[in-house]
């Protein structure tokens, strides 16, 4: 049973455009929602994370939007750059339990 | 990659051989994890450990074994029982502090190819 569903599987965006990646979860007990960025041949790195008591968190060009009632959260990359081309994973966690990852979105930003 | 070291970066083995992947961290983290990543798929948890001398199976533990004899080390053995061992293996660690959202750090990964 897939506890977190991520979409789209791949995304192509023009330089300067907005990239949007979505994740949906089932368990309302989850209380930590991170996004990871992974470049080819490298390990994932934490990009930004949100707790369920806020609806939005912004760090530079990256924003998480969180909709608790819909059990969805999304990553927005404003002014997308070729250097943002990577695979992005959402994840969920309850307390000190293990992270559960989405299947990933491959983002390609073309100049 | 923080203070997590995985070695080697690339590993080639013949079918039927056991192979051990190394993971060391100097972050004094309590918990350590092993994930497997295949093309187009997410990260699947193999094993994890929250304390020395204790570990739990993840979602795809069959054909793998681990040990946690030291806090800083969590080696993974891919046995001959693992039917499709060719993959990218990622080690991760994080502290366990009550009431705090603890970030999980990943190592650089080991790409295992079984010939």
């Amino acid at each position: 049973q897939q506890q977190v569903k991520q979409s789209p599987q791949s995304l192509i965006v023009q330089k300067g455009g907005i990239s949007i990646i979505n994740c949906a979860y089932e368990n309302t007990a989850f209380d930590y929602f991170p996004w990871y960025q992974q470049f080819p041949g490298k390990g994932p790195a934490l990009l930004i994370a949100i707790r369920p008591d806020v609806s939005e968190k912004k760090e530079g060009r990256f924003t998480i939007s969180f909709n608790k009632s819909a059990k969805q959260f999304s990553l927005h990359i404003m002014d997308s750059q070729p250097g943002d081309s990577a695979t992005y994973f959402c994840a969920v966690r309850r307390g000190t339990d293990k992270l559960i990852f989405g299947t990933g979105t491959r983002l390609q930003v073309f100049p | 990659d923080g203070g997590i070291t995985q070695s080697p970066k690339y590993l080639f083995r013949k079918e039927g051989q056991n192979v051990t992947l190394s993971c060391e961290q100097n972050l004094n983290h309590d918990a350590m994890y092993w994930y497997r990543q295949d093309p187009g798929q997410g990260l699947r948890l193999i094993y994890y450990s929250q304390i020395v001398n204790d570990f739990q199976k993840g979602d795809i533990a069959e054909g793998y074994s681990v040990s946690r004899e030291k806090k800083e080390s969590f080696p993974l053995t891919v046995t001959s029982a693992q039917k499709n061992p060719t993959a990218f293996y990622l080690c991760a660690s994080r502290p366990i502090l009550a009431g705090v959202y603890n970030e999980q750090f990943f190592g650089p990964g080991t790409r295992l190819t079984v010939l």
Side-chain angles (χ1 to χ4, degrees), chain A residues 43-54:
Chain A
L46 180 66
L47 186 62
I48 186 172
I50 198 168
R51 307 176 189 182
D53 52 347
V54 296

Side-chain angles (χ1 to χ4, degrees), chain A residues 1-53:
Chain A
Q1 183 182 359
Q2 197 173 358
Q3 297 192 55
V4 57
K5 295 182 179 180
Q6 183 173 346
S7 63
Q9 190 173 7
S10 63
L11 183 61
I12 298 174
V13 173
Q14 198 91 26
K15 179 183 175 182
I18 303 173
S19 304
I20 302 174
I21 305 170
N22 301 297
C23 278
Y25 61 96
E26 291 295 324
N27 191 341
T28 55
F30 294 133
D31 59 4
Y32 177 66
F33 304 88
W35 284 92
Y36 284 82
Q37 179 188 56
Q38 183 183 30
F39 293 105
K42 305 291 185 182
L46 180 66
L47 186 62
I48 186 172
I50 198 168
R51 307 176 189 182
D53 52 347

Side-chain angles (χ1 to χ4, degrees), chain B residues 17-44:
Chain B
Q17 289 183 332
N18 290 357
V19 60
T20 297
L21 281 59
S22 169
C23 179
E24 304 278 332
Q25 53 99 0
N26 62 4
L27 302 168
N28 198 34
H29 286 173
D30 305 287
M32 297 186 74
Y33 306 81
W34 274 106
Y35 294 88
R36 171 181 171 140
Q37 186 175 23
D38 295 283
Q41 296 194 35
L43 284 72
R44 294 185 290 169

Side-chain angles (χ1 to χ4, degrees), chain A residues 9 31-32 36 38 41-46 50-52 87 89 93 95-104, chain B residues 1 9 33 35 37 40-43 45 48 50 59 88 90 94 96-97 101-104 106-109 111:
Chain A
Q9 190 173 7
D31 59 4
Y32 177 66
Y36 284 82
Q38 183 183 30
K42 305 291 185 182
L46 180 66
I50 198 168
R51 307 176 189 182
T87 299
F89 293 96
R93 189 174 74 203
T96 57
D97 287 351
K98 54 188 184 293
L99 278 170
I100 301 169
F101 286 88
T103 51
Chain B
D1 298 337
K9 187 172 179 63
Y33 306 81
Y35 294 88
Q37 186 175 23
Q41 296 194 35
L43 284 72
L45 183 63
Y48 64 105
Q50 295 188 312
D59 301 317
F88 189 49
L90 288 159
R94 71 180 180 95
I96 298 179
L97 299 172
Y101 291 87
N102 310 130
E103 179 181 345
Q104 183 164 306
F106 283 85
R111 185 164 299 281

